[in-house]
């Protein structure tokens, strides 16, 4: 508590109640953490200046204390208010720029000997505990340069994301997400290019890559053909051009204008006398 005794001795004439002692203690914690008091009240004054001491009128109102502070290494301004409620003091510390507020409730009887207000050695009880409460509950975290803070946050986010992905990939029961991750898309080989050409003919109905999609293509089965070209048309059946050149074509009957023998569709079989036959 180096320095607190000097401060307490300087303002001892203004300390007339236990809440004065607690406010003096919290003020010194702010000083130790890089702030300087610039005045009392809510509004700035022309006489404001940075100081480790408390202003002359700091304890005029025993029900509501109001003090303003400014950081040593920045323009950050803080407004400290302490409200007396029965045997407790409720502190509120607000950042004037961001409007962020922190608070602390102190039970006066737990930390101050009321009958020892003018004896520094015995006025405070459990000072270490009170100091820890002020640091963890009331004071804001120590300021860092904005760029450094943003860079560290970005690195931390990247590390957490990488760790999360490693955990997902190692979980054998995890159902993969339907949404693909951001990044480069996988390379899918062309099914028409060897060695992935198997089945490629199914995607090429016109046979431009050298084969139709049928497993057994009657026009490409390897058996001798008579030179029949369906694209030139089939007399009395298909006009020329009905079948695109090189397209797969299934003959649907004997090819040719004249077929040998009688047409079974035109003449009844011998001995036909049953209409249900």
């Amino acid at each position: 508590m180096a320095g607190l005794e000097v401060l307490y001795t300087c303002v001892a004439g203004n300390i007339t109640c236990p809440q004065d002692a607690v406010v003096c203690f919290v003020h010194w914690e702010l000083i130790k953490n890089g702030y300087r008091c610039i005045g009392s009240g809510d509004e700035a004054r022309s006489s404001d200046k940075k100081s480790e001491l408390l202003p002359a009128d700091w304890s005029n109102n025993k029900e509501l204390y109001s003090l303003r502070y400014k950081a040593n290494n920045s323009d950050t301004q803080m407004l400290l208010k302490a409200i007396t409620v029965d045997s407790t003091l409720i502190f509120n510390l607000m950042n004037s720029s961001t409007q962020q507020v922190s608070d602390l409730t102190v039970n006066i009887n737990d930390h101050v000997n009321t009958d020892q207000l003018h004896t520094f050695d015995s006025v405070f009880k459990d000072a270490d505990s009170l100091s820890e409460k002020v640091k963890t509950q009331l004071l804001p975290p120590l300021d860092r340069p904005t760029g450094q803070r943003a860079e560290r946050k970005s690195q931390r986010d990247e590390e957490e994301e990488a760790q999360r992905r490693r955990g997902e990939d190692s979980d054998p029961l995890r159902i993969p997400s339907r949404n693909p991750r951001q990044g480069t898309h996988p390379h899918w080989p062309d099914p028409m290019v060897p060695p992935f050409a198997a089945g490629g003919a199914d995607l090429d109905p016109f046979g431009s890559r050298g084969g139709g999609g049928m497993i057994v293509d009657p026009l490409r089965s390897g058996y001798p053909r008579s030179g029949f070209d369906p694209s030139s048309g089939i007399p009395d059946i298909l006009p020329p051009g009905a079948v695109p050149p090189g397209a797969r074509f299934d003959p649907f009957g004997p090819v040719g204008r004249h077929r040998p023998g009688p047409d079974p569709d035109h003449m009844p079989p011998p001995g036909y006398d049953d209409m249900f036959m």
Side-chain angles (χ1 to χ4, degrees), residues 27 31 35-39 49-55 69:
H27 164 83
I31 298 301
Y35 294 91
R36 295 294 180 267
C37 187
I38 57 176
K49 64 178 181 178
K50 292 182 179 181
S51 174
E52 293 184 0
L53 299 176
L54 284 162
Y69 296 84

Side-chain angles (χ1 to χ4, degrees), residues 257-270:
R257 179 182 301 271
H258 302 289
R259 290 177 292 184
D263 188 343
D265 293 333
H266 295 171
M267 297 179 63

